[in-house]
């Protein structure tokens, strides 16, 4: 199913449910005026309202995982439509990063969530190049200090060009996770980092593997696939 077909199906279901709800409300109001008990119709209305709300607020989490230097950041930047995620020869993904779409008129932000703190820390906001550099600098700091601040995850609020015309995917989240050779090169809590990454993958609706065809059969990719079994 194409994105256009998905959007059309979403709109059709939502519009049909809305019309049905309006029809039931009209019937129920008429019966109320006649003194009838409308608890049955009210129950149906409540269920339709719940279904419409769930359809509108549906959350979709897609985890993206790859071995280091397989092109994951390049792929994600292409989906986002901005060069906002850094890529270099060493590990760049040391924590889970949730990429949440925002309206094109809103200001992009990079947030950091730390253990024991409810409110996130704003690392950067505004231009994608500024966010990219500060994200990279902060990653280097985490690696150099062995995650002294106990960072749990990052959240990038940014328009996602690939879905910005799809109102059906307002609850869409890309989850960037560190791959196996990043677990070993992060320089801190590799066991905890691996557990965090795998937990993120297990709780997502779908997992997208980015594989380098030139090294498809190497040990890193084998471990990456085996850990999802």
């Amino acid at each position: 199913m194409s994105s256009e077909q998905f959007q059309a199906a979403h709109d059709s279901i939502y519009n049909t449910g809305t019309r049905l709800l309006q029809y039931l409300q009209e019937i129920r109001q008429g019966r109320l005026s006649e003194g009838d008990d409308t608890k049955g119709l009210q129950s149906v209305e409540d269920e339709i309202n719940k279904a419409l709300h769930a359809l509108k607020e549906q959350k979709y989490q897609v985890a993206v995982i790859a071995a280091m230097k397989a092109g994951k950041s390049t792929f994600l930047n292409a989906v986002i439509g901005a060069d906002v995620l850094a890529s270099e020869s060493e590990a760049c993904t040391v924590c889970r990063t949730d990429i949440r779409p925002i309206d094109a008129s809103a200001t992009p932000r990079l947030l950091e969530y730390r253990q024991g703190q409810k409110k996130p820390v704003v690392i950067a906001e505004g231009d994608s190049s500024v966010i990219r550099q500060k994200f990279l600098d902060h990653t280097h700091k985490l690696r150099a200090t062995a995650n002294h601040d106990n960072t749990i995850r990052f959240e990038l609020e940014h328009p996602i060009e690939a879905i910005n015309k799809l109102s059906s995917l307002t609850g869409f989240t890309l989850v960037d996770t560190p791959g196996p050779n990043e677990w070993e090169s992060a320089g801190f809590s590799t066991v905890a980092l691996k557990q965090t990454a795998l937990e993120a993958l297990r709780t997502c609706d779908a997992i997208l593997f980015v594989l380098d065809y030139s090294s498809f059969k190497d040990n890193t990719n084998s471990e990456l696939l085996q850990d999802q079994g």
Side-chain angles (χ1 to χ4, degrees), residues 29-101:
Q29 289 301 320
R31 290 190 178 181
L32 280 173
S33 64
E34 296 173 359
D36 289 351
D37 181 2
T38 62
K39 290 183 179 180
L41 286 176
Q42 181 64 63
S43 176
V44 175
E45 282 185 31
D46 291 344
E47 291 301 319
I48 294 176
N49 270 317
K50 289 179 182 179
L52 289 175
H53 179 77
L55 184 63
K56 190 174 182 179
E57 301 298 325
Q58 177 66 47
K59 305 299 181 184
Y60 305 93
Q61 288 195 332
V62 178
V64 183
I65 189 170
M68 189 168 58
K69 297 178 66 175
K72 180 179 62 173
S73 295
T74 301
F75 169 78
L76 286 171
N77 282 334
V79 173
I80 295 169
D83 193 18
V84 66
L85 296 177
S87 59
E88 54 182 21
S89 58
E90 58 182 326
C92 286
T93 312
V94 295
C95 289
R96 166 180 174 155
T97 300
D98 294 345
I99 305 166
R100 301 186 183 279

Side-chain angles (χ1 to χ4, degrees), residues 121-171:
V121 177
V122 179
I123 301 299
E125 59 183 329
D127 186 74
S128 59
S129 62
V130 173
I131 293 177
R132 172 190 168 96
Q133 188 57 52
K134 289 191 176 182
F135 201 176
L136 183 58
D137 292 342
H138 203 68
T139 297
H140 288 164
K141 177 185 175 182
L142 286 181
R143 200 182 298 122
T145 61
N147 195 16
H148 181 268
D149 292 332
N150 293 318
T151 299
I152 300 172
R153 67 181 178 92
F154 293 103
E155 184 172 302
L156 175 62
E157 299 175 345
H158 199 284
I160 298 180
E161 185 175 330
I163 65 168
N164 63 4
K165 296 181 180 179
L166 300 175
S167 60
S168 56
L169 293 180
T170 53

Side-chain angles (χ1 to χ4, degrees), residues 169-187:
L169 293 180
T170 53
F172 181 83
T173 300
L174 280 169
V175 181
D176 185 10
T177 60
N181 50 2
E182 292 178 302
W183 299 337
E184 299 304 323
S185 62

